[in-house]
Amino acid sequence: MARRMRINILLATALCLLLSFPVSAAPTGSLAVKKITAPVTLFCVADAQGTATEEFAGALTEQLTDANMTPATAKQLQKYTKEQSLSGQEKTPGETGEALYKGLAEGYYLVYSQAQPGEFAPFILKIPTQAGDKPIYGVQAAPKTDGGGDSKDPSEPPVIGPVIPQTGNIQWPKYLLLILGAVLIVAGLAEGFRGLERRRE
């Protein structure tokens, strides 16, 4: 019994030691569309290498790059979403005039709004964006709208900049391992006490 208790305690200790190692996953990003008054629609149109997603394979004849994600391309893709009746992620801005998207995989995204007033020209952005040599996974965009924005010309490109980057770390496995370790410790102690009781009898 004493040997079994020692094995349980060793297993519990090993699990607890795992808590000191970070559990990471593929990094994800966020997008905050700011200074807007109308709902925003978001589509992932290509992966991180610029290859079109399945939904947009019929619209993109070449890989997307930083050089060809132009306003003209954005308008073409917006038109395609309407023709194909595609459904994107739609968000309505809150009281602060911001729509926030979280958990975005690396890739190219189409953003647009079609509400008057408050419409702005469609645009494409990449997650992560680059700030010098550093990839930024938290992105904010302030498009020019025809109402509630900084300009009455919605055709102007958005101002895009970084926000605090997200780490992409997953926390829940740490807590699961902690609970499992505690259960094993309790089970080992209980088994040890039962063994002692048997010896006394």
Side-chain angles (χ1 to χ4, degrees):
M1 290 297 174
R3 181 181 178 186
R4 187 173 179 181
M5 183 176 72
R6 285 197 296 271
I7 291 173
N8 285 339
I9 292 174
L10 286 173
L11 286 173
T13 303
L15 284 172
C16 290
L17 287 174
L18 289 175
L19 297 174
S20 62
F21 296 96
V23 181
S24 60
T28 58
S30 64
L31 169 63
V33 187
K34 308 172 79 68
K35 298 182 180 179
I36 56 173
T37 58
V40 181
T41 305
L42 178 75
F43 291 90
C44 182
V45 297
D47 62 19
Q49 287 71 45
T51 303
T53 59
E54 186 176 343
E55 280 188 321
F56 286 86
L60 290 171
T61 56
E62 59 181 359
Q63 285 191 319
L64 271 180
T65 64
D66 294 347
N68 66 8
M69 54 181 195
T70 61
T73 303
K75 288 180 180 179
Q76 170 197 336
L77 293 177
Q78 181 188 30
K79 181 181 178 183
Y80 181 81
T81 64
K82 300 300 181 183
E83 293 172 348
Q84 301 297 318
S85 299
L86 300 180
S87 298
Q89 301 180 52
E90 185 172 295
K91 284 188 179 288
T92 301
E95 294 180 357
T96 59
E98 175 180 303
L100 179 62
Y101 294 90
K102 295 182 179 180
L104 301 178
E106 295 183 352
Y108 290 82
Y109 289 85
L110 169 68
V111 185
Y112 68 76
S113 175
Q114 283 192 323
Q116 303 261 354
E119 182 178 359
F120 55 83
F123 62 92
I124 301 171
L125 58 82
K126 185 181 180 184
I127 292 179
T129 60
Q130 292 293 131
D133 295 331
K134 183 179 178 183
I136 301 297
Y137 284 85
V139 179
Q140 64 180 14
K144 307 298 184 179
T145 70
D146 63 359
D150 296 331
S151 169
K152 291 186 177 181
D153 182 6
S155 65
E156 292 183 23
V159 178
I160 299 175
V163 293
I164 298 172
Q166 298 181 356
T167 62
N169 285 345
I170 298 176
Q171 301 296 325
W172 66 264
K174 295 182 179 181
Y175 300 113
L176 177 61
L177 290 173
L178 181 60
I179 292 170
L180 288 174
V183 168
L184 285 173
I185 290 173
V186 171
L189 291 174
E191 187 66 32
F193 287 133
R194 280 197 294 270
L196 290 175
E197 289 296 326
R198 291 192 193 100
R199 289 178 185 176
R200 289 175 184 172
E201 294 174 357

